[in-house]
Amino acid sequence: MRKLKGFCTRTSYFIVSALFASASFLTACSDDELAGEKSTPVSTETDRLLVNNNAEELSKRITLYKETEAQTKALENNHLSMPEQPTVPENAIIMDRNYKDYAAQAGASYVLQEGETLSTGVFLNDGTTYYVKGQLTLTNHWTSGAGGTFVILPGGSLDFQAGTLLDKVSIYNYGTFTIGSKKGNSKKGFTTNSGSTFMTNQSFECNGSLNISGDFYVGGDLKVDKFIPQEGGNAYVGGTVEAADIHVTNHSALYAEKLTADNFETNSHSKVTIGCSAYIHKKLTLTNHIDFHVLGYLQSSVTELTSDANLHINQGCWM
């Protein structure tokens, strides 16, 4: 068994000592001497596993192994990246108090200028793009054809009061995105439909339930009560996910650099990749044809695997 230099040795204890504080755990990732080495299984560990079916078969699904740098980068790639900030087209239509949502032109570009404030519903008509440099309160939105896009530029803000983000609608935030007049903070939560895209290059906070069925990208940290990538949702968080409960389900994918949660469950042909560290306070549940990869360190009080679930701990240790 390999010791990670200066940090930990894998143990056979089911309950982790309180000496391993979450703060130090989540910042413990460091350069590992395994970079570039051939991918080779190191060992299999089963005595810290809660099982409810064939233990011998389940034991084959936990692997602690070395991984090449190329393989690591492939795991990290959820096929999501924040595009470069666009510029407002010269022919963009000025959006002001005379804007009529029902009259929005198909495929046109609109711009809410700096210093302007507008509260309105918006029609995303077959490729319409709205550039937000002022303050836009979105009370409703609906689509036709190919839908459309919101681009929130630096200095601009969009306060989302429109319920669920519809399919064929994209939001790219380079400015300020809020829910219900509070910065990224809503007791009602935030829901995105399949076929939608939400991307922000900043951190995001939501006090309710965050239900993701489309593409979801957060460049910073994500803090939420409940985080639920579902129905084929694809989520990427470049910083730390902090949540009470996380449930990745039904052919969904999650990549996060770091993660801390009370309970984490993933099932139904889903895939989770943690780039650095995962700290589960209560229980980690993996079931029904899923893959859970940790490229650094995993700490969980109880871990349960059932129904063809696979746990891979790469380049680090399991505490």
Side-chain angles (χ1 to χ4, degrees):
M1 292 187 181
R2 177 173 62 89
K3 289 185 178 180
L4 185 72
K5 53 184 181 181
F7 186 71
C8 72
T9 303
R10 293 195 309 272
T11 73
S12 60
Y13 293 105
F14 209 71
I15 304 299
V16 178
S17 169
L19 293 175
F20 289 103
S22 60
S24 62
F25 174 74
L26 287 171
T27 58
C29 293
S30 60
D31 293 336
D32 193 291
E33 68 269 27
L34 296 176
E37 292 187 15
K38 185 177 180 181
S39 179
T40 307
V42 176
S43 66
T44 300
E45 191 172 295
T46 60
D47 54 349
R48 295 169 54 254
L49 181 68
L50 176 66
V51 300
N52 59 14
N53 56 17
N54 190 305
E56 181 178 356
E57 288 301 314
L58 286 167
S59 70
K60 300 174 183 177
R61 302 188 206 135
I62 304 178
T63 307
L64 299 131
Y65 65 94
K66 304 176 183 180
E67 187 160 329
T68 67
E69 183 176 357
Q71 289 169 323
T72 297
K73 289 186 179 298
L75 283 171
E76 292 177 352
N77 182 10
N78 257 27
H79 308 290
L80 290 179
S81 60
M82 187 84 175
E84 291 186 10
Q85 179 185 315
T87 58
V88 180
E90 293 184 359
N91 64 347
I93 301 168
I94 300 299
M95 190 180 184
D96 55 23
R97 296 182 186 280
N98 295 317
Y99 169 80
K100 299 293 188 291
D101 47 17
Y102 59 82
Q105 299 178 23
S109 295
Y110 289 80
V111 58
L112 182 66
Q113 296 283 28
E114 183 178 355
E116 293 292 328
T117 299
L118 184 63
S119 178
T120 184
V122 163
F123 182 28
L124 297 124
N125 185 4
D126 200 17
T128 308
T129 300
Y130 292 90
Y131 295 89
V132 182
K133 300 174 72 175
Q135 296 178 319
L136 175 63
T137 298
L138 187 65
T139 58
N140 199 359
H141 69 304
W142 55 97
T143 67
S144 177
T149 302
F150 294 96
V151 178
I152 310 165
L153 296 169
S157 66
L158 190 154
D159 186 36
F160 190 86
Q161 300 181 9
T164 298
L165 185 65
L166 301 178
D167 64 303
K168 300 181 182 179
V169 177
S170 299
I171 294 177
Y172 297 99
N173 178 43
Y174 306 90
T176 301
F177 177 83
T178 64
I179 304 174
S181 300
K182 295 183 179 180
K183 287 188 176 182
N185 190 343
S186 173
K187 293 182 179 179
K188 294 182 178 179
F190 183 50
T191 298
T192 70
N193 279 353
S194 177
S196 68
T197 298
F198 176 86
M199 292 190 173
T200 179
N201 58 3
Q202 304 169 22
S203 294
F204 187 77
E205 183 176 351
C206 180
N207 282 341
S209 179
L210 181 58
N211 306 290
I212 301 302
S213 297
D215 287 340
F216 182 81
Y217 176 100
V218 173
D221 297 331
L222 174 64
K223 186 175 182 179
V224 61
D225 288 344
K226 294 182 179 180
F227 185 34
I228 309 175
Q230 60 187 357
E231 306 297 336
N234 188 18
Y236 176 99
V237 179
T240 299
V241 177
E242 182 179 349
D245 295 289
I246 300 175
H247 190 185
V248 184
T249 182
N250 199 0
H251 298 268
S252 297
L254 167 64
Y255 173 87
E257 184 63 15
K258 299 178 183 180
L259 181 146
T260 177
D262 289 338
N263 295 289
F264 191 112
E265 179 178 354
T266 183
N267 59 39
S268 301
H269 300 270
S270 296
K271 179 180 178 180
V272 175
T273 304
I274 307 301
C276 174
S277 55
Y279 181 61
I280 313 300
H281 299 269
K282 295 180 180 178
K283 186 177 181 181
L284 172 64
T285 304
L286 313 175
T287 185
N288 192 8
H289 299 88
I290 65 92
D291 284 299
F292 191 99
H293 292 262
V294 181
L295 306 184
Y297 316 96
L298 171 62
Q299 180 173 333
S300 60
S301 296
V302 177
T303 303
E304 179 179 8
L305 278 78
T306 64
S307 304
D308 292 327
N310 296 286
L311 172 60
H312 309 276
I313 304 173
N314 316 321
Q315 298 189 8
C317 60
W318 187 10
M319 298 183 292

